[in-house]
Structures are given as structure tokens and as C-alpha cells.
Amino acid sequence: MSTNIVFIGLGNMGLPMAQNLVRAGHAVTGFDLLPASVRQFADGGGLVSDDQAAAIGQADIVITMLPASRHVLGAYLGDAGILAQARPGTLLIDCSTISTEAARQVGRAAQDKGMPMLDAPVSGGTAGATNGTLTFMVGGEEAALAAARPYLDVMGKAIFHAGGSGCGQTVKICNNMLLGILMIGTSEAIRLGVANGLDPKVVSDVMAKSSGRNWTLEVYNPCPGVAENVPASRGYTGGFGVDLMLKDLGLAVESALASGASVPLGALSRNLYSLHSKAGAGALDFSSIYQLLGEKA
């Protein structure tokens, strides 16, 4: 049965996620600040509207995929926000990666308005978004997750209930901190092999069958030419941007300070990605940290 869905944020991740909902037979109205993204969504069968408030007011579900905490707070709160436009009972799902506190703030406001809300950040990258194989890390009430599950199943292959409001964001912050650390470590190891005259593909293949095995090495190799269909082999375009990784590592450090946790490698990774961004690489894929560690192989 078709469900009336509003999807706000048709970026590298949001667009394919929304398109998968369209392919599943749902009536999805998409919104984005970039007209080109909206046109691409419409070309794939999505609905478009000039009246976002009216679309939200008629929606059964509102899904957001936005860059940062300030965008989510701005989208949901205030007199012109989603909470002011949606009907009581509308299911709200935020798939952005934001701070735990921002997620809880919006969640509390939604609860006060009688709207069930989930923070449901994702892992799996643009390929996972396109193929409908994302992992969802969900915070919120069990009943809201049960209502959302049929739609999350369209966009992902694994759904984990992390706990109450904000817990999905906490898990995502932990995951992406580890991802950033692993990408730097993988890049360093390949660089070391290359500096000693080894073929980077041989180094990668050996480590992929050894104790250094990890996702960045096998699925998202940072060295150009080692793997096909990864950002490193197309000039580090597409994928997950350096500035987005920098944002997530910043969230991890902030969370550590707030909770008293120790994250020395997370903090160092944030500093390295900050240097990389300031050198002009902010829009490149985060695997381009390989470039910061030496000349191209």
C-alpha cells in the first residue's frame, strides 16, 4: 500500500534513499535546496511541490537527511518548522548524523506535539544508499520503530535499535570515529609498503587476508587503482566527504568531553582531517586522506 512520504534532503545519500522508496511504490515528495537534485528526483518518478508546508501537512511520514545539527534544528523547530506544519501522529525519521543532544532536543519537541520520532543515522555509504543495503542505528520508542520498519527495510538491510532518543546518534558517532581511524591506519600501512617498493595492490591483498583486515581496506581502498568503483579510483569524487568526516570526528570529541571518555586516536584523526580540509580537500572523499600522507603511488 502506498504511503504519503515527504523526504527532505536529496544529497548524495538522501537522493538514492528517496528513490528506493519511490521504487517500492510509495508516493514520495522530495525537497532540497539544490534544484538539480529535485529535478533528478523527479526524473526518477518522485513527486515535487512548490509548497513544502502543505506537503508536510498531508504527509504520513517525514524523513530528513541533512548535513549537520544546525540544519536539523532549523528544519524541525520554530514557527516554520516541520513540527509546526505536520499533523499530530505523523511519523518523523531523521537520518542525519548530528549530536546526541540535538537529536534529543528535537525528539522531546516532537513528543510534546504528539509526533513519534526516531533518530536513525545510517552507515553504508552512497553504494549502500543506492543498493538499499544501509545499516540503520535507531534511537527512539519501540512502537515508532515498529511503524518505521517497513520503510527502513526498503532502504537498508540491517536495523538496530540502540535505545531511547539520541542513542542512534551516539552509536553512529562511535562507528564513524572508528571509520576515520581505520582509514588513516589503512592509508599509512599501504604508504609504508609503497615506500619500500611494494605494489599497493599486493600489500592490500595480503593485509585483507591477514590480521590487518578491515572494511576500509577491503571495500573502500584509499589507494588509486587498487579497487574498482571506489572514490580513490575516480579522483576521490563522490562518496563521503572529508568535511563530513571532520564533522563526525568533531562530534565524537565533543561527546568524549561531555562524558569523560578518552579518545586520543579519535582526536588525532580529527586533527589530521582538519589539516586535510584546510589544504583544500574538504569536498573530496574522506579516503583522500591517503594523499595527505605522501605523494601518489
Side-chain angles (χ1 to χ4, degrees), residues 90-105:
T90 302
L91 176 60
L92 309 175
I93 307 172
D94 179 43
C95 296
S96 318
T97 298
I98 61 175
S99 72
T100 299
E101 181 50 41
R104 288 175 176 161
Q105 181 181 345

Side-chain angles (χ1 to χ4, degrees), residues 63-241:
I63 302 174
T64 48
M65 175 58 98
L66 301 170
S69 297
R70 67 181 185 276
H71 303 107
V72 173
L73 293 171
Y76 279 92
L77 305 180
D79 293 339
I82 293 168
L83 299 184
Q85 298 164 345
R87 298 170 296 176
T90 302
L91 176 60
L92 309 175
I93 307 172
D94 179 43
C95 296
S96 318
T97 298
I98 61 175
S99 72
T100 299
E101 181 50 41
R104 288 175 176 161
Q105 181 181 345
V106 176
R108 288 191 296 268
Q111 185 178 37
D112 291 343
K113 292 277 191 175
M115 300 175 198
M117 182 164 190
L118 300 172
D119 50 281
V122 303
S123 180
T126 53
T130 299
N131 297 327
T133 57
L134 292 170
T135 295
F136 284 90
M137 310 165 202
V138 183
E141 297 295 330
E142 287 275 9
L145 176 55
R149 193 173 288 274
Y151 311 99
L152 300 183
D153 281 336
V154 170
M155 299 182 286
K157 67 174 182 179
I159 302 167
F160 295 98
H161 188 205
S165 179
C167 290
Q169 297 297 344
T170 300
V171 174
K172 176 62 187 293
I173 289 167
C174 295
N175 179 80
N176 276 25
M177 181 183 73
L178 180 58
L179 176 62
I181 293 169
L182 287 173
M183 183 57 78
I184 293 170
T186 296
S187 296
E188 284 190 355
I190 296 173
R191 282 288 189 191
L192 178 60
V194 170
N196 282 277
L198 298 180
D199 183 329
K201 189 175 189 316
V202 171
V203 176
S204 297
D205 288 345
V206 171
M207 292 193 297
K209 299 298 182 182
S210 305
S211 56
R213 179 182 182 186
N214 68 79
W215 184 87
T216 63
L217 181 68
E218 294 182 275
V219 179
Y220 216 86
N221 197 287
C223 180
V226 170
E228 297 179 356
N229 301 318
V230 297
S233 293
R234 53 175 186 264
Y236 297 106
T237 58
F240 185 65

